[in-house]
Amino acid sequence: MGELMSALDALAADDLFDLPAAAQLDRVQVLVLTQNLIAAELARSVRTADVAQAAERDGLKTMCSWLQGHCRLSAGEASRVVRRGRALESLPAVAAAFAAGAVTAEQVSVIAAVTRPEHVAAAADQDVDLAEIDATVAQVAAARPHAELRQVVAHYLACLDPDGPEPDPTEGRSLSIYRHDDGRVSGRFELDPVGGEKLLAGVESIVQADRPDGDMR
């Protein structure tokens, strides 16, 4: 780690304006490769610490919280780092490409959706060989534009569930309430069957409760 830090210090001391354009672009390309290598090692290291529950020995419950507290990562980025490490355990081809610097951390985050439990279960039910998917997405990630990788992963996930997710019956729920100038309140609502039953049960409980004489509401 000391040698790595020394190398970075040496790079920071370079006078970039003395470099010709071609050398500047070569430098950027090498730095992106190096960034990928470091991101891969970070994912591996975080996963090892996660499995060992190292964060708990430092007084925190998860590696996500540890990365936020000690490394000042955002909650979203901390979660992505942890998910990358977990996903790579099931994707050896992607992990190898990542470790070689051919794949970026952002690409791994896109591919990680393949390893979600519900997607792995769906693939098993349809006799999909995850090793083939791993090899395919690794090749696409290393050779094709980022947008194309997103399309390939999205297409694969859509094929696992061609009918799409079940519609949410609560999406059509609505409630509108109006207060009139004279103090009266009126409104309208639209409920799904489950929500409607809950409302009717609540109204019925009020109707059945003791009320003052003459209360006809």
Side-chain angles (χ1 to χ4, degrees):
M1 296 300 291
E3 292 179 358
L4 173 61
M5 299 306 296
S6 296
L8 292 174
D9 288 340
L11 284 173
D14 290 343
D15 187 349
L16 302 184
F17 291 102
D18 285 343
L19 296 177
Q24 290 177 352
L25 295 179
D26 288 342
R27 180 187 178 96
V28 169
Q29 192 168 27
V30 171
L31 287 174
V32 170
L33 171 64
T34 304
Q35 178 178 260
N36 295 343
L37 295 172
I38 292 175
E41 187 58 29
L42 173 62
R44 187 173 78 94
S45 299
V46 168
R47 180 54 181 163
T48 302
D50 193 19
V51 172
Q53 298 180 323
E56 293 187 10
R57 301 179 186 180
D58 197 29
L60 294 171
K61 292 184 178 180
T62 66
M63 279 304 298
C64 280
S65 59
W66 191 91
L67 289 168
Q68 293 176 64
H70 290 272
C71 301
R72 293 168 297 285
L73 269 61
S74 67
E77 181 58 20
S79 295
R80 284 187 287 272
V81 172
V82 172
R83 284 199 299 268
R84 286 172 201 145
R86 292 175 180 172
L88 290 172
E89 289 187 334
S90 304
L91 301 169
V94 174
F98 196 24
V103 172
T104 68
E106 188 177 9
Q107 288 175 309
V108 175
S109 290
V110 172
I111 297 169
V114 171
T115 66
R116 291 177 183 168
E118 64 271 24
H119 296 153
V120 173
D125 290 341
Q126 299 174 43
D127 294 325
V128 174
D129 187 352
L130 189 58
E132 292 184 6
I133 302 302
D134 174 32
T136 298
V137 293
Q139 183 177 9
V140 171
R144 306 300 302 167
H146 185 80
E148 190 168 326
L149 172 65
R150 285 190 174 277
Q151 293 173 354
V152 169
V153 172
H155 177 70
Y156 167 70
L157 298 179
C159 289
L160 287 180
D161 185 16
D163 297 328
E166 291 293 325
D168 184 355
T170 67
E171 286 184 354
R173 290 181 180 176
S174 64
L175 172 65
S176 301
I177 299 177
Y178 308 95
R179 184 180 297 275
H180 302 276
D181 293 339
D182 61 1
R184 292 181 301 113
V185 176
S186 62
R188 69 179 305 277
F189 58 84
E190 189 77 27
L191 297 175
D192 60 277
V194 175
E197 286 297 326
K198 291 181 178 179
L199 174 66
L200 293 176
V203 171
E204 183 64 22
S205 67
I206 296 174
V207 172
Q208 297 299 329
D210 292 336
R211 292 181 295 177
D213 290 342
D215 186 350
M216 300 303 296
R217 290 176 297 173

